[in-house]
Amino acid sequence: MRQGKKLSILIPAYNESAGIGKTLEELIAFVNMEETEIIVVDDGSVDNTADIVKGFPEVKLIQHGVNKGYGTAIKTGTRAAVGEIVAWYDADGQHRPEDLKKVVDEIIKKDLDYCIGVRGKDSYVDKSRVLGKCILRLFLRLVTLQKVTDFNSGLRAFKREVLLRYLSLLPKRFGASTVTTLLMQEEDYNGSEVPILVRARIGKSSVKQLKDGLRTIMLILNVILLFHPMRVLGTSGAAVSLAGLIYGGICALKWHGGFPVFAAILIIFGFQLFCFGLLSHQISRVRKEKFEDPGIYAMMNMQEMTKQ
């Protein structure tokens, strides 16, 4: 273990001057700083977020010259971390240190690869986001065929070596939480969920609900197509071909007008889609092997760092 640290707490911060001070005070008073490091990634804030963080000498501050997004801040913090376990923690006062402990303890006690803090029924709820989250949750269940309890909770922890493999897949801005939830499930990593209590945030959120929601849907599709293309393309192709066959059969038997051209087009298109799914599946297998090779994913991360 590098530098004797067990846990690295990553706090992305963009214009969080209202809540970052209280957040750091709570954490420092609660955790064992001999075994824990706290990293704040100031993502190009234009307020005095960085100045407040500098008032806490125990905290490591990393600054982006311009705003690069939540996902980029997570990548920066993960690469700089020295702990075996990396935890994500919001800067706006929503999370409680005791819940962070529950998430991290779950990983340590059960030797898990990751753990996600699931917001309980007594947690604060932003009513303006309820509809959007319901739509995203339904979409996730349809494409993943799995029950997703809290897909974008900001309080989660990973073994650093596991998270490092997939940094190149994390989006630069909004959606990193959702993508890591999918990645851990799709790759069958050993994980768990623990209930947490979320408080009302301090300050104003920078999330743009419609724009970021649509971007999240595209990210979900990208991840599913990367790891399980047959689930989308193969199933869709088979369904289209079957629909064409049924439609053509009904038309031919009921109206005795021969097999309709439209039905034939559906069958051919569905077959092409299915074949494209098979080809994508072979490409997916090759790419997945890269993520299992420590040398390759380290090289991918180095290449990405040079681009930033």
Side-chain angles (χ1 to χ4, degrees):
M1 187 190 306
R2 298 178 297 167
Q3 298 182 15
K5 300 292 185 180
K6 293 182 179 179
L7 172 65
S8 296
I9 304 173
L10 308 185
I11 307 178
Y14 176 61
N15 293 340
E16 296 287 0
S17 59
I20 188 66
K22 180 181 178 181
T23 297
L24 293 177
E25 287 175 359
E26 286 185 340
L27 279 174
I28 292 171
F30 189 87
V31 302
N32 180 354
M33 293 301 295
E34 292 184 359
E35 298 182 345
T36 306
E37 67 168 351
I38 301 175
I39 302 174
V40 174
V41 181
D42 176 35
D43 190 31
S45 297
V46 295
D47 62 5
N48 63 333
T49 296
D51 292 332
I52 294 174
V53 176
K54 289 176 183 177
F56 295 87
E58 310 94 326
V59 176
K60 181 177 182 179
L61 173 65
I62 302 175
Q63 291 181 267
H64 288 165
V66 296
N67 178 248
K68 298 183 178 182
Y70 180 85
T72 304
I74 288 292
K75 295 178 185 182
T76 299
T78 303
R79 294 189 183 105
V82 299
E84 287 187 346
I85 297 174
V86 174
W88 300 5
Y89 200 85
D90 288 348
D92 53 18
Q94 288 192 87
H95 299 144
R96 305 183 306 167
E98 52 265 42
D99 288 328
L100 171 65
K101 184 177 186 300
K102 287 168 60 177
V103 170
V104 174
D105 284 350
E106 185 80 356
I107 291 180
I108 295 174
K109 292 177 181 178
K110 298 182 179 180
D111 192 25
L112 303 175
D113 295 309
Y114 73 96
C115 182
I116 298 174
V118 175
R119 289 165 281 196
K121 61 179 181 179
D122 294 327
S123 295
Y124 171 79
V125 177
D126 186 344
K127 295 181 180 179
S128 66
R129 299 185 184 181
V130 172
L131 178 60
K133 287 188 176 182
C134 286
I135 294 173
L136 283 175
R137 186 177 293 109
L138 177 61
F139 180 75
L140 271 170
R141 289 183 179 180
L142 287 174
V143 298
T144 64
L145 305 179
Q146 298 184 50
K147 182 179 179 180
V148 181
T149 308
D150 195 347
F151 60 90
N152 65 344
S153 170
L155 180 54
R156 55 186 60 210
F158 309 84
K159 285 184 177 178
R160 183 176 179 272
E161 62 180 15
V162 171
L163 184 58
L164 276 174
R165 297 177 184 178
Y166 302 100
L167 284 188
S168 62
L169 295 182
L170 298 191
K172 293 183 178 180
R173 297 192 176 274
F174 184 76
S177 300
T178 303
V179 169
T180 52
T181 298
L182 283 173
L183 288 171
M184 294 300 105
Q185 291 186 345
E186 293 301 318
E187 289 298 274
D188 294 323
Y189 279 103
N190 188 22
S192 181
E193 298 176 344
V194 296
I196 62 172
L197 178 67
V198 172
R199 303 174 291 199
R201 68 165 287 128
I202 302 172
K204 184 179 179 181
S205 173
S206 59
V207 175
K208 298 177 179 62
Q209 296 186 43
L210 179 59
K211 180 180 179 180
D212 290 329
L214 291 174
R215 183 182 291 129
T216 300
I217 290 176
M218 293 305 300
L219 290 171
I220 293 169
L221 284 175
N222 284 336
V223 172
I224 297 301
L225 287 173
L226 173 61
F227 289 100
H228 295 286
M230 281 297 291
R231 184 182 300 173
V232 177
L233 299 175
T235 303
S236 299
V240 171
S241 292
L242 181 61
L245 183 62
I246 293 174
Y247 169 69
I250 292 176
C251 289
L253 294 174
K254 187 174 182 179
W255 291 297
H256 306 288
F259 203 81
V261 174
F262 180 66
I265 292 175
L266 286 178
I267 294 173
I268 294 172
F269 175 71
F271 179 73
Q272 290 177 331
L273 199 60
F274 184 84
C275 291
F276 186 65
L278 285 175
L279 177 61
S280 299
H281 177 69
Q282 299 304 315
I283 298 173
S284 170
R285 290 181 61 182
V286 174
R287 291 200 64 184
K288 286 173 69 175
E289 290 176 1
K290 293 183 178 180
F291 293 112
E292 299 302 322
D293 187 326
I296 293 179
Y297 74 69
M299 182 181 65
M300 292 169 64
N301 281 320
M302 286 297 296
Q303 290 175 345
E304 188 177 354
M305 287 177 67
T306 59
K307 295 178 182 179
Q308 294 182 4

